[in-house]
Structures are given as structure tokens and as C-alpha cells.
Amino acid sequence: MTTLHVIDDDERSRKLASDVLAAAGFEVLQSGTAAAARDQLRAHGADLVLLDIQLPDEDGFKVIAWIREQPALKEVPVIALTASVMPAHRGRIEESGFNGFIAKPLSSVREFVQKVRGHLGRP
């Protein structure tokens, strides 16, 4: 089964994304902080990570830098899951090694699942 990891400090956003992805047939792990995400990723890995940019203990840019340094994780697609879609943030997201971004709040459940599947190379 494909394992996804949703990292978001907003419990409602994290639960919505996780519930939608679980209903689409994915195994979903969740973390609300960068520290918890690191622990989960070390223990379980992931096939794709959805990462909020604004976490309470560390920003998502530091988290993706850490992910890209880990031999077992460096090739895992990481998608920014963020409410910050201003052009400056988009540029920084692209430059930081993210494979793409999905804007919050989610406007379409179907489109969200399609984007995730697309980053996994699945229809």
C-alpha cells in the first residue's frame, strides 16, 4: 500500500486531507509538528509527503531541507500544502526542492486526489 504523510499543524486541515486520501485508498500518517514528522519519517518512511510551510516549531523549508538530506527520503516527492500562494512563496517553494504545491483550503477533493496521484505517477 502507498504511504502518504500529511504534516500540518492545523488539525482540521490535517484531518480533512488525511480522510480524503484514506478514502482514496492510501495509508496516511499524520504529524502536527516538524519534530513529530521527523520521528514518523525515520520510523516509517513515506511514498509522498504533503508538507505545510508554517509549522509551530520549524518552517516547512527547514523540514524539506532535512528530508532531502536523508538517503532513504531524498527522492520522495514532497508537496507544499499551504495557504500562502503569493508569487514570492511559490518561487521559494520551487527553489527549495518541493515537487509542487497544493493551495489550502482544498477547493476540490477530486482535484486534490488527482494531484497527489499525479505526483506518484498514477492516473
Side-chain angles (χ1 to χ4, degrees):
M1 179 175 271
T2 301
T3 301
L4 309 181
H5 193 124
V6 177
I7 305 166
D8 194 329
D9 64 318
D10 182 75
E11 186 176 348
R12 289 180 21 200
S13 294
R14 187 173 66 242
K15 182 171 176 12
L16 173 62
S18 297
D19 288 351
V20 167
L21 294 168
F26 297 106
E27 179 179 347
V28 183
L29 302 173
Q30 301 179 39
S31 299
T33 65
R38 282 191 178 95
D39 290 344
Q40 287 259 12
L41 288 166
R42 280 186 199 108
H44 305 288
D47 297 300
L48 182 138
V49 175
L50 292 149
L51 174 59
D52 187 15
I53 298 298
Q54 308 231 353
L55 298 170
D57 56 340
E58 197 170 40
D59 72 33
F61 297 109
K62 289 182 182 175
V63 177
I64 191 168
W66 177 85
I67 289 171
R68 296 297 182 227
E69 292 172 354
Q70 307 308 303
L73 299 171
K74 67 181 180 181
E75 300 299 324
V76 170
V78 180
I79 310 304
L81 187 61
T82 181
S84 300
V85 292
M86 297 187 58
H89 280 115
R90 283 187 186 185
R92 187 166 179 208
I93 286 168
E94 292 171 9
E95 293 167 2
S96 297
F98 284 90
N99 298 88
F101 79 93
I102 296 174
K104 294 189 307 186
L106 302 178
S107 59
S108 165
V109 170
R110 178 176 284 156
E111 185 179 312
F112 174 58
V113 172
Q114 287 174 338
K115 285 183 179 182
V116 168
R117 284 188 175 138
H119 284 286
L120 289 165
R122 297 181 185 161

